[in-house]
Amino acid sequence: MAKERKILVAVDEGEESTYALSWCLKNVVTENSKDTLLLLYVKPPHVVYTALDGTGYLFSQDIIATMDKYRNEVAETVIEKAEKLCKDLQDVKVETRVEIGDPRDVICEVAEKMGVDMVVLGSHGYGLIKRAFLGSVSNHCAQNSKCPVLIVKRPKNSAATSTS
Amino acid sequence: MAKERKILVAVDEGEESTYALSWCLKNVVTENSKDTLLLLYVKPPHVVYTALDGTGYLFSQDIIATMDKYRNEVAETVIEKAEKLCKDLQDVKVETRVEIGDPRDVICEVAEKMGVDMVVLGSHGYGLIKRAFLGSVSNHCAQNSKCPVLIVKRPKNSAATSTS
């Protein structure tokens, strides 16, 4: 039965994403499988704020640099946390990837380009990006991804498992 | 690792549902697991056709009886076909269930009532019911189900695997 599969897990800074990854590790990836996990974090692009009169609103270089630094730190933290969760399954290969853009498109694009067998993501999210993009990432991926999509919802009464 | 899980697979008369079940058997349910598969088919309720003048349109008893017979035959065929697909995995317990209603609500209700660990369904469908209900069943279930939902899309270039 064991065969090589590539499973893309979209991770973000939210607890639901952590739960989705944990659930996937427990229920889909098994210890003796030859699965490769591809942990993908999508950073939000620069958001251009438009003033009401349409003239646009420009940030100074300082502010942009600070925002960039923060975005990179968040990306690192998310990926590190996700990798830590995967360490218990020693036979599973883990790859990580950080991309920039609208997570709805990026997740589907990476899934197709890498020929993954399955996409796993939380039903809510996408943390930081949630503020920048309207519309549900999971809905979009379920409709547009060419491979099976597993949407994991964190039970309301569950503590944030495996986050420590 | 092996633990008892209950997995609800929503089946209908479409090929995508067959593909979703096959995919689930190959990728989620493993031979030596203690999983229970709950195959659920949701029959469409009687549809009341309303004439344009709002007076409604009543079918004769004959027509209603014929439609009922047809619906029951479809239900039987779908369930039989799904059970047949599951036969190769001998250790997996299979339960079947036929309900009547809007599949979007019924799938979520049954999932919750039975405390299933996961819902599996095709991304399109729902065959017969598709005509009676607007809106995507998979979208609705992904948003409203309290457990993880796996939406399986049949690749466009795939032959209808395991349908024979």
Side-chain angles (χ1 to χ4, degrees):
Chain A
M1 278 298 272
K3 53 180 178 136
E4 290 176 42
R5 299 182 301 183
K6 189 163 252 183
I7 299 171
L8 187 160
V9 184
V11 293
D12 67 11
E13 56 274 48
E15 285 186 359
E16 192 157 65
S17 136
T18 310
Y19 183 83
L21 175 57
S22 304
W23 199 92
C24 170
L25 291 172
K26 280 187 205 122
N27 287 279
V28 182
V29 181
T30 48
E31 276 190 54
N32 49 2
S33 84
K34 292 171 184 165
D35 290 339
T36 299
L37 270 185
L38 176 59
L39 306 174
L40 171 67
Y41 175 70
V42 186
K43 279 201 292 190
H46 286 297
V47 178
V48 177
Y49 290 88
T50 308
L52 283 176
D53 60 3
T55 53
Y57 184 80
L58 293 175
F59 290 114
S60 72
Q61 284 302 319
D62 273 5
I63 292 178
I64 290 175
T66 309
M67 283 166 73
D68 269 352
K69 195 166 164 274
Y70 176 64
R71 292 193 317 161
N72 291 337
E73 280 171 9
V74 169
E76 263 176 49
T77 312
V78 169
I79 290 288
E80 269 173 29
K81 192 173 155 191
E83 280 184 304
K84 214 171 147 188
L85 274 180
C86 299
K87 273 197 180 148
D88 290 339
L89 294 182
Q90 292 173 338
D91 284 340
V92 177
K93 275 164 279 175
V94 177
E95 295 171 8
T96 63
R97 193 157 169 165
V98 175
E99 298 278 347
I100 297 179
D102 181 333
R104 294 175 296 186
D105 298 325
V106 174
I107 292 169
C108 295
E109 280 163 19
V110 172
E112 195 170 352
K113 212 191 297 172
M114 305 292 288
V116 306
D117 297 286
M118 185 181 194
V119 169
V120 179
L121 68 178
S123 74
H124 287 299
Y126 222 82
L128 262 186
I129 298 168
K130 207 172 178 179
R131 288 169 239 151
F133 297 99
L134 293 172
S136 158
V137 175
S138 58
N139 261 6
H140 182 90
C141 292
Q143 282 177 340
N144 293 284
S145 164
K146 295 194 168 54
C147 68
V149 175
L150 173 64
I151 299 169
V152 182
K153 188 169 280 183
R154 193 162 71 100
K156 273 186 188 150
N157 53 359
S158 88
T161 52
S162 315
T163 52
S164 58
Chain B
M1 276 300 272
K3 54 178 178 141
E4 289 176 43
R5 299 183 301 184
K6 188 163 253 183
I7 298 170
L8 186 159
V9 183
V11 291
D12 66 12
E13 56 275 46
E15 284 185 0
E16 191 155 65
S17 136
T18 311
Y19 182 84
L21 176 56
S22 304
W23 200 92
C24 169
L25 291 172
K26 280 188 205 120
N27 287 278
V28 182
V29 181
T30 48
E31 276 189 51
N32 49 1
S33 83
K34 292 172 184 164
D35 291 339
T36 299
L37 270 185
L38 176 59
L39 306 174
L40 170 68
Y41 175 70
V42 186
K43 280 202 290 191
H46 286 297
V47 178
V48 176
Y49 289 88
T50 309
L52 283 176
D53 61 1
T55 53
Y57 184 79
L58 292 175
F59 290 116
S60 72
Q61 283 303 318
D62 273 4
I63 292 179
I64 290 175
T66 309
M67 284 166 73
D68 268 353
K69 195 166 164 274
Y70 176 65
R71 294 194 314 160
N72 291 338
E73 280 169 10
V74 169
E76 261 176 50
T77 311
V78 169
I79 289 288
E80 268 172 28
K81 192 173 156 191
E83 279 182 307
K84 214 171 148 190
L85 274 180
C86 299
K87 271 196 182 148
D88 291 336
L89 294 181
Q90 292 174 338
D91 284 341
V92 177
K93 276 164 276 176
V94 176
E95 295 172 7
T96 63
R97 194 156 168 164
V98 175
E99 298 280 344
I100 297 179
D102 182 332
R104 295 175 296 187
D105 298 326
V106 174
I107 293 169
C108 294
E109 280 163 21
V110 172
E112 194 170 353
K113 212 191 296 172
M114 304 293 287
V116 306
D117 297 287
M118 187 179 193
V119 169
V120 179
L121 70 177
S123 74
H124 288 300
Y126 222 81
L128 262 187
I129 297 168
K130 206 174 179 179
R131 287 170 241 152
F133 297 101
L134 293 172
S136 157
V137 175
S138 58
N139 260 6
H140 182 90
C141 291
Q143 283 178 338
N144 293 285
S145 162
K146 294 192 169 55
C147 68
V149 175
L150 173 63
I151 299 168
V152 182
K153 186 170 283 183
R154 192 161 71 100
K156 273 184 188 154
N157 54 359
S158 87
T161 53
S162 314
T163 51
S164 58

